[in-house]
């Protein structure tokens, strides 16, 4: 799938200053950086609205626009889990998109910015999901986790038996193998847990026989927080996983861009099958 936009005004300049391949990369990087800055500014405005936990309800909320909603059977609740030093406000657009396309029960979980342990956050997530299942009558849920949120959800699924309650886990820019970016932030314990070779990352490389959750990982070739970039892919012989490469957007844009939202909806609606030892790959281009 491909989203096209107007040509960048920087294109002629880049073509004069750089060789063709470098010019293309530079234009893509400039556009992605501009988008990241715009998203960051908007998110800072919305951030206060997402500080508190959202209200819980036993009944699914009606879609905001009934005429735009596709008729569908009852689908599992969707749990949205934000990233490091963030809150549920990052999912405002994605939540609306999912609701307009038939997901009637969507909830976000805020974990404290003072959280210092992925394992503790995963236990909290587990209690939250069990409460959702009891309240809604569904046996399983789907999870969309951005960045650290995806790692917390994976730990719950893989190490705490969460695969009994999680049907599909979609991760967006999640450092599944650990990221080396921003070494100066190592003072924070949870940042150290996101480093390659940390005890948490090593636990996730361990055997996970019979895991029932299907994984879909969206990773971007312009993600400035993933080092190396491929760390955002799920590579595990026991997991049923699909890795989706996103071209043209950065880390902050992954839970916001409409083309990525379309990919997320497709990932939630498609049941994957096949040998667990084989991970599938596909691509999403935002030009």
């Amino acid at each position: 799938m491909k989203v096209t936009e107007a040509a960048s005004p920087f294109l002629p300049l880049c073509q004069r200053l750089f060789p063709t391949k470098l010019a293309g990369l530079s234009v893509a990087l400039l556009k992605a950086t501009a988008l990241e800055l715009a998203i960051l500014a908007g998110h800072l405005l919305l951030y206060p609205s997402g500080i508190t936990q959202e209200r819980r309800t036993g009944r699914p909320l009606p879609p905001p626009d009934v005429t735009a909603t596709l008729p569908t059977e009852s689908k599992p609740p969707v749990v949205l889990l934000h990233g490091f030093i963030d809150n549920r406000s990052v999912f405002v657009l994605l939540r609306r998109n999912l609701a307009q396309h038939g997901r009637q029960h969507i909830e976000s979980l805020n974990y404290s910015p003072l959280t210092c342990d992925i394992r503790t956050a995963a236990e909290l997530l587990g209690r939250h999901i069990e409460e959702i299942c009891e309240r809604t009558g569904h046996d399983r849920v789907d999870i969309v986790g951005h960045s650290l949120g995806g790692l917390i959800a994976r730990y719950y699924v893989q190490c705490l038996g969460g695969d009994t309650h999680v049907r599909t886990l979609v991760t967006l820019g999640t450092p599944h193998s650990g990221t080396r970016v921003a070494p100066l932030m190592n003072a924070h314990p949870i940042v150290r847990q996101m480093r390659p070779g940390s005890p948490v990352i090593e636990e996730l490389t361990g055997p996970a026989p019979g895991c029932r959750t299907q994984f879909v990982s969206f990773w971007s070739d312009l993600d400035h927080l993933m080092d190396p970039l491929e760390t955002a892919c799920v590579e595990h012989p026991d997991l049923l996983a699909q890795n989706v490469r996103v071209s043209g957007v950065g880390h902050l844009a992954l839970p916001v861009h409409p083309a990525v939202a379309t990919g997320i909806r497709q990932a939630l609606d498609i049941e994957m099958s096949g040998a667990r030892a084989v991970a599938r790959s596909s691509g999403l281009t935002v030009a």
Side-chain angles (χ1 to χ4, degrees), residues 46-262:
L46 289 174
Y47 191 92
S49 68
I51 292 176
T52 60
Q53 295 284 6
E54 66 181 5
R55 296 176 56 187
R56 310 300 181 197
T57 175
R59 298 191 304 267
L61 296 175
D65 184 359
V66 177
T67 60
T69 303
L70 302 177
T72 59
E73 69 280 0
S74 178
K75 296 180 179 180
V78 178
V79 179
L80 306 175
L81 198 59
H82 63 80
F84 182 57
I85 316 180
D86 209 339
N87 63 38
R88 59 188 176 88
S89 63
V90 72
F91 291 117
V92 167
L93 296 180
L94 177 60
R95 184 176 190 139
R96 181 182 304 168
N97 189 296
L98 292 174
Q100 289 176 337
H101 289 82
R103 292 285 176 160
Q104 297 185 16
H105 199 117
I106 307 168
E107 295 195 11
S108 301
L109 173 64
N110 273 2
Y111 55 88
S112 170
L114 301 178
T115 299
C116 293
D117 184 53
I118 288 175
R119 302 176 186 89
T120 301
E123 292 174 359
L124 172 63
L125 174 63
R127 293 195 294 270
H128 180 69
I129 288 176
E130 289 174 4
E131 188 271 333
I132 290 177
C133 291
E134 181 179 356
R135 175 159 40 88
T136 64
H138 284 271
D139 295 328
R140 308 184 83 189
V141 304
D142 293 331
I143 299 179
V144 179
H146 180 225
S147 196
L148 172 61
L151 202 61
I152 292 171
R154 179 177 173 185
Y155 192 93
Y156 165 64
V157 165
Q158 192 174 328
C159 301
L160 300 181
D163 62 314
T164 59
H165 292 302
V166 180
R167 185 186 69 113
T168 301
L169 170 57
V170 176
T171 64
L172 311 172
T174 290
H176 290 285
S177 301
T179 177
R180 296 188 295 262
V181 78
L184 295 180
M185 294 186 66
N186 279 347
H188 198 295
I190 212 164
V191 172
R192 294 198 298 270
Q193 290 184 335
M194 290 191 287
R195 297 304 189 198
S198 74
V200 168
I201 297 299
E202 289 301 310
E203 285 184 62
L204 294 176
T205 64
C211 183
R212 286 163 283 188
T213 299
Q214 61 184 21
F215 294 78
V216 182
S217 175
F218 289 80
W219 66 285
S220 172
D221 56 7
L222 293 178
D223 191 331
H224 58 287
L225 293 183
M226 297 298 107
D227 180 18
L229 293 172
E230 293 78 6
T231 189
C233 296
V234 176
E235 303 288 351
H236 194 292
D238 294 333
L239 302 180
L240 181 61
Q242 178 181 8
N243 296 308
V244 182
R245 174 174 175 168
V246 181
S247 297
V249 301
H251 189 79
L252 297 178
L254 286 170
V256 175
H257 202 286
V260 179
T262 299

Side-chain angles (χ1 to χ4, degrees), residues 269-280:
D269 290 340
I270 295 176
E271 289 280 355
M272 288 190 290
S273 61
R276 291 189 178 273
V278 178
R280 298 197 302 156

